[in-house]
């Protein structure tokens, strides 16, 4: 094999960013001020404040960003700072609509007045329950009733006296006939000083016991007088009705005097027109139900004689006059800020409860209307996690409708509404609420694309970033953040080297050396875990070793699968070579993500080539184990081959690519350069180094492009080499564009520094193939030929050989002037004859 070309290695200082504790300017975090500001989210914070400042319709805020970037805590802090800029919203009450019970009335009061109105109405109702029964037993009431009754009796007696005067000395007499509960006057003959009915007197005439002439005279006289008696009877009936009206009027007037006396303070304290109308209707309804109110506290005759039953329930009777205080802002200072962590329909938009009656039906009324977070946040701010909310039936539609109309009508979301009882339709509530929803970018884009209302109701997007620029100011702010967390959670102060270790981990989490992560909740967890190890060591401060122990413990808790895979590699169950050379075989690098932990491991990639027209066959794709991004990466390889080797001939080959011992799905294009190296090796016949693992995507021009997870990939191959034995020649080849992303573990950096491991960076496929083979890649001269004995020359020759072989294979036995199996020297059209 030709002598290997020496490729520049990545300098050790570029493998990991090192934070110098001595340059932080403090010994422990006790020497600096705690952080009170929001850091790393300038774009999102500016957008949020803009949305909060807009009072126009539709300027609600959609906060996007990755979970763990502190979106909720930031929103909570921003809303707390803005809380004093607006007034406290009104209290909301529902009261009974006495004309139409199914349409409860909404009353608004200044903050704190709603509760006072409710108590005032309670006091009024209690006064009525207490004093109304006494009123109708008072001496004044009885005296006024007796006066009416005596006046009535006098008039009735005068009517009776007039009738008696009419029949005096006529042989007729007036008697009072009992007809049910009433007495009716009647005229009958008087025989032997004894009143007789006409039918009795007629019998006496037939038996000759009474003169017929006298009978006829009495009969005629009775008929004549009876018409006048009937008129008098009608007058008595009218008089009775008038008396009953007077009794009712006395009851109404005396009750109204009592009620108005107790209601006067309510009217005086709450002078609004709508409140006054409600109080008037409440009094009118009480008067209509006065007969029942009069029975409060009294026993009633039961269905059996002598059986007594209790009177009406005072609480049930007076419930229609109570007040349902829907929203009470009496203890609220400024606009409410509600964070609804369980955004079901009921919790967000309220409900109308129902009770089952004795006969099995359902019943509800205005007092069973309940407010949800959306209504409670009226005049303020509501924060919800949209993914949680959008999964609940009816929530998204109701939220959209309420934000578009700026009104809400409380109802119960009930899919089985057809079996429920009569429902309520409460008066709609005018809404002025800023809704802040938290979601990821994918959900935001989906809603923008599929829901035309999205742009109307969420006009502001506050996009939170996962990282921030690493500059001196940001470093100082992170240090102050550590001080704030330590002070808040009662942690030990962090030493300067401990802060440096946290900063280095922040860079690693950000994935770039010039960035720091904004996933402060995760950093906060790391601080608490490091403090735990400091307590185990009984240290006064949290140092670098405690942060390192916390990170190692975190990995140990989650890397069981990584260890099992490494065990399979060590015992030879998974084939991974870390030394030697092979044709068409190379070590690719993959990242396994377990959700809370990611690690890299090598995977053998092989390529085989032969004559044919099938092109490049992606075995993973044929087995339905390849994702679209990986498929695209393989298709790019064909474009690269055409660009490099098909300018003077067709590409006529069949090649297959495979991830050996891969039994799960594969996606991503980070192995496309690796697959291309294996393909070039198979075509050229030049072996590839097995002590180098490769990662990087490639474009059709042969440029090696950056990939993700570069740190995990390097560390994964390093671990394999460590277990197999470090030789000093092993290493990983990465795209040059990824050098700024390197933040390797200290162990790997030390191995590179000691010459036991290597990290190379390449820009092009040509650089990579030279490192892997030790042979020049080759350049094309003016005549269109690649450099002699180069990799590309051998690939080109092999492709030409395959093209000619395929052409000759397709010819018949008598072609080319009777010659068989030989070329005529003419250019082939590439078609079979």
């Amino acid at each position: 094999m030709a002598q290997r070309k020496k490729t520049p290695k990545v300098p050790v200082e570029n493998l990991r960013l090192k934070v110098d504790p001595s340059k932080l300017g403090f010994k422990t975090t006790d020497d600096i001020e705690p952080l009170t500001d929001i850091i790393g989210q300038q774009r999102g914070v500016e957008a949020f404040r803009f949305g909060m400042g807009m009072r126009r319709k539709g300027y609600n805020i959609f906060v996007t960003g990755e979970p763990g970037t502190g979106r909720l805590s930031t929103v909570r802090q921003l809303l707390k700072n803005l809380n004093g800029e607006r007034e406290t919203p009104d209290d909301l009450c529902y009261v009974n609509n006495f004309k139409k019970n199914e349409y409860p009335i909404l009353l608004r009061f200044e903050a704190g007045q709603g509760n006072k109105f409710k108590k005032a109405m309670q006091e009024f109702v209690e006064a009525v329950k207490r004093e109304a029964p006494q009123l109708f037993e008072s001496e004044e009431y009885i005296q006024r009733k007796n006066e009416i009754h005596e006046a009535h009796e006098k008039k009735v007696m005068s009517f009776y006296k007039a009738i008696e005067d009419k029949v005096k000395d006529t042989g007729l007499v007036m008697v009072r006939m009992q007809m049910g509960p009433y007495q009716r006057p009647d005229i009958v003959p008087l025989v032997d000083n004894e009143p007789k009915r006409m039918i009795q007197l007629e019998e006496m005439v037939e038996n000759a016991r009474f003169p017929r002439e006298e009978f006829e005279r009495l009969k005629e006289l009775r008929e004549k007088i009876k018409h006048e008696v009937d008129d008098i009877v009608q007058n008595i009936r009218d008089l009775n009705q008038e008396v009953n009206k007077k009794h009712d009027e006395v009851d109404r007037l005396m009750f109204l005097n009592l009620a108005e006396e107790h209601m006067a303070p309510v009217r005086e304290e709450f002078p609004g027109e709508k409140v006054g109308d409600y109080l008037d209707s409440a009094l009118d309804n009480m008067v209509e139900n006065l007969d029942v109110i009069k029975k409060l506290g009294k026993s009633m005759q039961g269905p059996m004689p002598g059986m007594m039953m209790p009177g009406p329930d005072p609480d049930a009777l007076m419930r229609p006059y109570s007040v349902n205080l829907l929203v009470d802002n009496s203890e609220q200072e400024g606009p409410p800020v509600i964070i609804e962590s369980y955004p079901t329909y009921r919790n967000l938009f309220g409900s109308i409860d129902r009770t089952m009656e004795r006969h099995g039906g359902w019943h509800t009324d205005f007092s069973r209307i309940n407010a949800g977070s959306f209504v409670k946040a009226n005049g303020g701010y509501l924060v919800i996690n949209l993914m949680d909310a959008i999964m609940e039936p009816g929530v998204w539609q109701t939220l959209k409708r309420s934000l578009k109309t700026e009104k809400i009508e409380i109802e119960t979301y009930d899919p089985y509404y057809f079996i429920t009882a009569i429902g309520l339709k409460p008066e709609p509530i005018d809404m002025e609420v800023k809704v802040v929803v938290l979601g990821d970018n994918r959900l935001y884009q989906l809603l923008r694309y599929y829901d035309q209302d999205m742009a109307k109701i969420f006009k502001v997007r506050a996009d939170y970033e996962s990282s921030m620029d690493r500059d001196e100011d940001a470093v100082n702010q992170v240090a102050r953040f550590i001080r704030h967390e330590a002070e808040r959670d009662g942690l030990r102060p962090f030493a300067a080297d401990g802060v440096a270790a946290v900063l280095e981990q922040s860079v690693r989490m950000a994935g770039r050396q010039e960035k720091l992560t904004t996933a402060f909740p995760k950093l906060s967890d790391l601080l608490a875990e490091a403090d735990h190890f400091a307590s185990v060591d009984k240290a006064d401060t949290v140092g670098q070793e405690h942060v390192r122990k916390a990170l190692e413990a975190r990995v140990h808790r989650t890397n069981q699968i990584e260890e099992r895979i490494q065990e399979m590699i060590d015992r030879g169950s998974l084939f991974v070579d870390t030394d030697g050379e092979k044709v068409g075989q190379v070590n690719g690098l993959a990242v396994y993500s377990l959700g809370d932990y990611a690690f890299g491991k090598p995977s053998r990639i092989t390529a085989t080539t032969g004559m044919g027209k099938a092109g490049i066959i992606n075995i993973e794709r044929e087995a339905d184990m390849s994702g679209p991004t990986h498929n695209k990466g393989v298709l790019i390889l064909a474009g690269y081959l055409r660009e490099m080797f098909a300018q003077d001939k067709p590409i006529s080959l069949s090649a297959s690519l495979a991830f050996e011992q891969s039994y799960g799905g594969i996606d991503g294009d980070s192995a496309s350069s690796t697959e291309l190296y294996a393909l070039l090796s198979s075509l050229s016949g030049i072996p590839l180094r097995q002590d180098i693992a490769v990662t990087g995507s490639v474009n059709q021009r042969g440029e090696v492009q950056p990939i993700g997870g570069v740190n995990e990939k390097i560390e994964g191959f390093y671990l394999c080499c460590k277990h197999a034995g470090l030789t000093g020649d092993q290493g990983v080849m990465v795209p040059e564009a990824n050098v700024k992303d390197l933040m390797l573990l200290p162990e790997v950096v030390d191995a590179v520094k000691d010459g036991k491991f290597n990290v190379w960076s390449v820009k092009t496929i040509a650089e990579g193939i030279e490192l892997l083979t030790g042979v020049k890649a080759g350049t094309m001269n003016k005549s269109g030929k690649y450099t002699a004995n180069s990799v590309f020359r051998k690939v080109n020759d092999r492709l030409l050989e395959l093209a000619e072989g395929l052409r000759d294979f397709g010819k018949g036995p008598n072609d080319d002037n009777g010659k068989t199996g030989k070329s005529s020297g003419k250019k082939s059209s590439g078609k079979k004859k």
Side-chain angles (χ1 to χ4, degrees):
M1 177 180 154
Q3 185 178 2
R4 293 170 180 162
K5 180 181 178 181
K6 294 183 179 180
T7 302
K9 301 175 182 178
V10 178
V12 176
E13 60 270 17
N14 291 343
L15 297 179
R16 178 180 178 85
L17 174 71
K18 187 69 176 176
V19 179
D20 187 354
S22 63
K23 294 182 179 180
L24 293 177
F26 57 85
K27 292 184 178 180
T28 70
T29 51
D30 283 345
D31 300 334
I32 57 178
E33 293 295 325
L35 180 72
T36 57
D37 300 327
I38 299 170
I39 60 173
Q41 300 296 351
Q42 182 178 358
R43 184 197 311 274
V45 170
E46 287 180 357
F48 191 90
R49 286 173 174 163
F50 168 78
M52 289 295 103
M54 291 295 295
R55 294 289 182 258
R56 295 188 61 187
K57 178 180 177 181
Y59 280 86
N60 299 292
I61 303 170
F62 199 118
V63 179
T64 58
E66 294 301 319
T69 54
R71 295 173 300 172
L72 182 58
S73 59
T74 303
V75 167
R76 184 184 286 112
Q77 183 175 347
L78 288 170
L79 290 178
K80 181 180 180 181
N81 295 337
L82 292 170
N83 204 24
E85 298 182 5
R86 299 174 62 184
E87 296 180 354
T88 306
D90 293 340
D91 293 341
L92 302 177
C93 301
Y94 271 119
V95 292
N96 191 22
N97 187 338
F98 296 101
K99 297 180 180 178
K100 295 182 178 180
N101 293 335
E102 64 271 22
Y103 297 99
I105 298 171
L106 177 70
L107 298 180
R108 282 179 174 268
F109 299 94
E110 292 183 359
Q113 294 298 304
N115 192 36
K116 292 181 179 179
F117 179 72
K118 179 179 181 178
K119 291 181 178 179
M121 287 300 295
Q122 287 177 343
E123 293 174 358
F124 165 74
V125 169
E126 290 298 324
V128 170
K129 287 195 299 184
R130 181 179 62 254
E131 298 184 18
Q134 300 175 6
L135 172 69
F136 297 112
E137 294 178 358
S138 64
E139 293 183 1
E140 179 184 1
Y141 175 77
I142 294 173
Q143 181 180 354
R144 295 185 65 175
K145 298 283 279 190
N146 288 338
E147 290 176 356
I148 296 173
H149 182 72
E150 291 175 0
H152 170 67
E153 286 296 324
K154 289 181 179 180
K155 289 186 178 180
V156 171
M157 292 304 296
S158 65
F159 287 142
Y160 288 155
K161 184 68 170 58
I163 296 174
E164 290 176 354
D165 292 341
K166 284 277 186 183
V167 298
K168 186 178 181 180
D169 300 330
T170 60
L172 298 173
V173 66
M174 183 191 75
V175 296
R176 299 183 182 182
M177 308 292 294
Q178 190 72 30
M179 302 183 66
Y182 304 103
Q183 288 184 344
R184 184 182 185 282
D186 193 12
I187 303 299
V188 296
L190 183 65
V191 179
D192 297 331
N193 293 324
E194 183 179 353
K196 298 286 187 179
R197 290 189 301 174
M198 291 302 296
I199 189 172
Q200 293 176 326
L201 191 60
E202 187 175 2
E203 290 178 358
M204 293 176 64
V205 170
E206 291 177 356
N207 294 330
R209 294 173 56 189
F210 191 81
R212 181 173 294 276
E213 296 80 4
E214 183 65 13
F215 171 77
E216 294 296 336
R217 185 185 70 81
L218 291 175
K219 181 178 180 181
E220 181 179 355
L221 181 59
R222 180 179 179 276
E223 291 293 333
K224 181 179 178 181
I225 296 176
K226 191 172 184 308
H227 290 295
E228 297 180 7
V229 171
D230 289 340
D231 292 338
I232 293 174
V233 169
Q234 184 61 44
N235 291 335
I236 293 175
R237 288 177 178 174
D238 295 340
L239 184 60
N240 287 334
Q241 293 179 359
E242 182 181 349
V243 169
N244 290 334
K245 289 182 180 179
K246 288 183 177 181
H247 281 299
D248 293 341
E249 183 68 16
V250 169
D251 292 347
R252 189 180 72 84
L253 290 176
M254 293 195 68
F255 177 78
L256 282 177
N257 289 336
L258 172 68
E260 283 288 1
E261 180 182 350
H262 291 287
M263 187 172 280
V266 183
R267 293 185 184 274
E268 183 178 353
E269 188 174 1
F270 306 97
E273 180 180 355
K274 195 172 184 179
V275 175
D277 293 340
Y278 163 71
L279 296 178
D280 291 340
S281 62
L283 284 180
D284 293 341
N285 186 262
M286 282 186 171
V287 171
E288 292 176 4
N289 294 282
L290 198 54
D291 290 339
V292 183
I293 293 176
K294 290 166 63 175
K295 297 176 182 178
L296 288 174
K298 296 182 178 180
S299 299
M300 301 174 59
Q301 177 64 46
M304 303 285 293
M307 179 179 180
M308 303 302 294
M309 298 179 64
D313 181 12
D315 293 334
L317 181 62
M318 292 300 176
R319 185 177 294 120
Y321 311 105
S322 63
V323 175
N324 181 1
L325 182 56
L326 198 69
V327 177
D328 181 11
N329 289 317
S330 58
E331 298 181 359
Q332 183 69 38
E333 295 182 3
V337 176
I338 296 181
I339 299 175
E340 181 54 71
S341 57
Y342 192 52
T344 62
Y345 187 95
R346 179 187 181 94
N347 288 350
L348 273 179
F349 305 111
S351 63
I352 303 176
D353 294 338
R354 300 185 298 268
T355 57
M356 180 175 285
E357 298 177 336
R358 288 179 296 178
H359 59 271
W362 294 95
H363 171 74
T364 187
D365 58 31
F366 75 98
S367 64
R368 302 185 183 279
I369 302 173
N370 302 308
S373 300
F374 189 73
V375 176
K376 292 178 182 178
N378 195 15
Y381 312 98
L382 173 66
V383 182
I384 58 176
N385 186 308
L386 187 55
M387 181 56 75
D388 293 340
I390 208 168
M391 300 298 291
E392 297 289 338
V395 168
W396 178 244
Q397 292 81 359
T398 306
L399 181 64
K400 288 195 305 177
R401 183 167 57 247
S402 300
L403 292 178
K404 284 193 299 181
T405 61
E406 295 185 317
K407 291 180 181 293
I408 185 173
E409 181 179 311
I410 297 179
E411 59 183 1
T412 298
Y413 180 79
D414 193 348
Y416 305 102
Y417 65 92
F418 51 86
I419 64 172
T420 60
I422 297 175
L424 296 182
K425 192 175 179 63
E427 183 179 344
I429 303 173
D430 292 332
M431 297 299 298
E432 185 182 355
V433 59
K434 282 281 186 181
V435 176
V436 180
V437 297
L438 308 180
D440 57 23
N441 294 323
R442 180 173 177 271
L443 179 59
Y444 177 82
Q445 298 296 343
L446 284 173
L447 290 175
R448 290 281 296 189
Y449 184 79
Y450 288 106
D451 194 334
Q452 61 182 357
D453 294 327
M454 176 70 177
K456 299 177 183 178
I457 58 178
F458 288 101
K459 295 183 179 182
V460 179
R461 179 186 183 186
D463 194 16
Y464 278 42
E465 302 180 51
S466 59
S467 63
M468 60 181 176
D469 293 336
R470 181 182 62 82
D471 51 27
E472 183 178 354
D473 183 56
V475 169
N476 292 334
Q477 287 182 322
V478 172
R480 293 177 59 197
F481 164 78
I482 296 174
R483 164 65 194 277
H484 173 269
E485 294 296 297
E487 184 177 289
R488 186 193 66 181
D489 298 334
L491 308 180
R492 291 167 176 78
F494 275 67
D497 62 343
V499 174
V502 174
L503 286 167
E504 291 175 5
Q505 177 63 17
S506 177
V507 173
R508 181 178 171 90
M509 292 169 62
R512 298 182 65 181
Q513 291 186 3
E514 67 272 17
K515 294 288 185 179
L516 292 171
T517 185
T518 56
F520 293 108
K522 294 181 180 179
L523 286 183
S524 181
D525 294 339
L526 176 60
L527 300 179
E529 293 167 15
D531 178 76
H532 166 75
F533 286 99
S535 67
V536 172
D537 292 345
K538 298 181 179 179
D540 295 330
T541 60
V542 182
Q544 180 181 8
E545 68 277 10
H546 303 127
V547 177
R548 178 181 55 80
K549 287 181 181 179
L551 291 172
E552 291 175 353
R554 179 179 292 184
V555 171
H556 184 70
R557 292 194 298 268
T558 54
N559 74 335
Q560 181 179 167
I561 294 178
E562 180 185 17
E563 291 183 352
R564 297 295 173 265
I565 293 176
Q566 185 60 50
E567 288 177 0
M568 296 174 69
I569 294 174
D570 294 342
R571 69 169 179 257
S573 299
L574 288 179
F575 297 159
V576 175
D577 293 333
T578 58
D579 58 5
E581 298 175 336
K582 293 287 182 64
V583 174
Q585 177 177 306
V586 66
N587 288 323
L589 293 170
V591 173
Y592 296 78
S593 178
L594 305 179
D596 57 344
Y597 180 65
F599 62 93
K601 276 292 179 281
S603 178
R604 177 180 290 179
I605 297 175
T606 60
T608 61
T609 56
M611 186 182 298
K613 292 185 177 182
I616 300 175
I617 300 172
N618 179 6
I619 292 179
E620 315 301 328
R621 178 183 178 184
E622 298 301 318
D624 290 331
M625 297 169 63
S626 177
T629 307
H630 181 251
N631 293 336
K632 177 184 177 182
V634 174
L635 294 174
I636 287 176
L637 303 187
Y640 174 80
L641 293 179
R642 282 191 293 270
E643 172 72 15
M644 297 292 291
F645 306 109
Q647 301 305 311
D648 58 352
K649 61 185 174 300
I651 295 292
S652 302
L653 86 160
S654 292
S656 60
L657 296 170
F659 279 72
E660 304 296 346
Q661 293 183 289
S662 174
Y663 308 107
I666 295 175
D667 202 4
D669 63 348
S670 64
S672 59
S673 68
T674 313
E675 293 168 319
L676 183 53
Y677 293 136
L679 188 60
L680 293 175
S681 173
S682 178
L683 287 170
S684 66
I686 303 175
L688 302 175
R689 293 176 60 176
Q690 301 301 297
D691 55 1
I692 296 179
V694 183
T695 185
S697 66
V698 66
N699 61 27
Q700 295 186 111
R701 302 294 183 183
E703 297 170 326
V704 180
Q705 303 171 141
I707 44 79
V710 64
N711 294 306
E712 290 81 2
K713 291 177 178 179
I714 295 174
E715 292 160 0
F717 189 65
Y718 167 79
L719 187 62
C720 290
C721 296
K722 177 183 176 182
H723 283 242
L726 294 173
T727 64
D729 293 328
Q730 299 150 331
V732 177
M733 186 170 65
V734 300
E736 185 171 307
N738 279 121
V739 172
K740 292 184 178 181
D741 302 335
L742 295 179
M743 193 65 185
L744 299 175
L745 294 175
E747 180 184 354
V748 181
V749 177
D750 292 341
V752 174
K753 185 177 181 180
D754 296 339
K756 298 178 181 179
F757 195 72
N758 305 279
V759 178
W760 295 275
S761 64
V762 295
K763 292 182 180 180
T764 63
I765 291 296
E767 293 179 8
I769 199 67
E770 289 181 357
L771 177 62
L772 288 169
T773 62
V775 179
K776 291 182 179 181
T779 57
M780 185 178 291
N781 57 28
K782 295 181 179 180
S783 61
K785 300 291 184 180
Y786 284 104
T787 307
N789 297 322
S790 66
V791 176
F792 291 162
R793 178 64 174 267
K794 293 188 176 186
V795 171
N796 188 70
D797 292 345
R798 177 57 177 162
L799 290 173
L800 179 60
E801 180 183 345
L802 291 173
E804 291 177 345
L806 186 61
R807 180 194 63 191
D808 294 342
F809 183 79
K811 292 180 178 180
N814 296 323
D815 291 340
D816 290 339
N817 300 321
K819 297 179 180 179
T820 304
K822 294 183 180 180
S823 174
S824 63
K826 297 180 180 180
K827 292 184 178 179
S828 172
S829 64
K831 297 181 180 179
K832 291 183 179 181
K833 296 182 180 179

